[in-house]
Amino acid sequence: MTTNKIILDLAITLDGYIEGPNGEVDWCIMDEEMNFNHFLEQIDTIIYGRKSYDLWGEFMPNLKDDQFGDKMMWDQIHSKQKFVFTSQNYSDKAHTKFINGDNISSKVLKIKKHSNKDIWLYGGSTIITTFINLNLIDEYRLSIHPVILGSGKPLFEHNQNRVNISLCNTHVYKSGVVQMIYQKID
């Protein structure tokens, strides 16, 4: 039996949005105190939906102003094995496997068996909702940012089932971000 977890680690606004009405994430705060590189060290795999992969799967920021070690962080992200769930046909790449078709649960169990560390469910909202509805998320790490957008793409939408979770840890950062870590209760 595998002990690695599928972790939803996501920034969210106080009013529950993961992006603004036009896909903007300019409200998202990254600071050294949050120690995101520590999280990246505990994972070896990232699961994306296709739209999120298209935006972030091969993203590299302008490195002229390398705040908080962005290059190191993105190099670390891009060194992970990536699985992209999509309904379209794509050819696999060096660190990226595109998965389409049915029976997502069995495909996720195979991914877990072949991962030596935890797995980051990056998103977007469609794949997150699918994972919630299939009860595949083991840990929810929600970093609530001090902003109210009023509209956008909500994190929790079209959920079909109740999921019981237990608060395990809370971090409050100087930036005003509050990270809450919940574990799934079986």
Side-chain angles (χ1 to χ4, degrees):
M1 183 169 171
T2 60
T3 58
N4 55 356
K5 300 176 286 196
I6 294 182
I7 300 171
L8 174 63
D9 184 284
L10 200 60
I12 184 171
T13 64
L14 184 60
D15 54 348
Y17 296 105
I18 59 175
E19 61 185 50
N22 300 307
E24 62 271 18
V25 292
D26 58 339
W27 50 267
C28 191
I29 299 168
M30 284 293 289
D31 64 37
E32 288 185 77
E33 185 187 11
M34 294 170 78
N35 198 5
F36 187 64
N37 287 328
H38 176 70
F39 170 71
L40 291 175
E41 290 169 4
Q42 81 179 65
I43 66 165
D44 64 359
T45 304
I46 303 172
I47 294 176
Y48 291 91
R50 193 224 11 112
K51 291 177 189 173
S52 292
Y53 178 79
D54 288 349
L55 287 172
W56 302 106
E58 297 181 24
F59 176 78
M60 193 56 91
N62 179 351
L63 298 177
K64 281 189 240 177
D65 25 68
D66 187 18
Q67 268 190 317
F68 310 121
D70 278 351
K71 181 178 179 353
M72 184 176 85
M73 179 188 76
W74 283 102
D75 285 345
Q76 196 171 4
I77 289 171
H78 294 314
S79 72
K80 309 298 181 186
Q81 178 66 49
K82 299 174 185 176
F83 292 91
V84 182
F85 283 83
T86 178
S87 59
Q88 301 175 6
N89 290 320
Y90 287 89
S91 297
D92 292 346
K93 298 179 180 182
H95 288 280
T96 307
K97 181 169 178 53
F98 294 89
I99 300 173
N100 57 19
D102 297 324
N103 206 351
I104 290 175
S105 292
S106 69
K107 292 175 181 174
V108 169
L109 289 175
K110 282 184 184 180
I111 293 169
K112 283 183 87 168
K113 283 182 183 177
H114 290 88
S115 295
N116 295 315
K117 295 182 177 184
D118 291 331
I119 299 163
W120 179 18
L121 173 60
Y122 183 77
S125 65
T126 302
I127 193 74
I128 291 170
T129 299
T130 299
F131 272 57
I132 291 170
N133 288 335
L134 293 172
N135 201 24
L136 294 173
I137 301 172
D138 301 302
E139 184 173 291
Y140 295 77
R141 291 185 186 196
L142 303 178
S143 297
I144 301 172
H145 290 247
V147 63
I148 298 170
L149 291 182
S151 66
K153 183 153 304 218
L155 171 57
F156 299 111
E157 186 176 48
H158 308 297
N159 294 333
Q160 298 170 348
N161 304 310
R162 175 178 172 163
V163 177
N164 293 316
I165 56 178
S166 175
L167 182 65
C168 298
N169 211 332
T170 303
H171 303 281
V172 178
Y173 300 104
K174 292 176 193 168
S175 62
V177 173
V178 177
Q179 183 184 64
M180 298 181 302
I181 301 173
Y182 294 91
Q183 299 274 329
K184 175 174 68 173
I185 301 172
D186 290 324

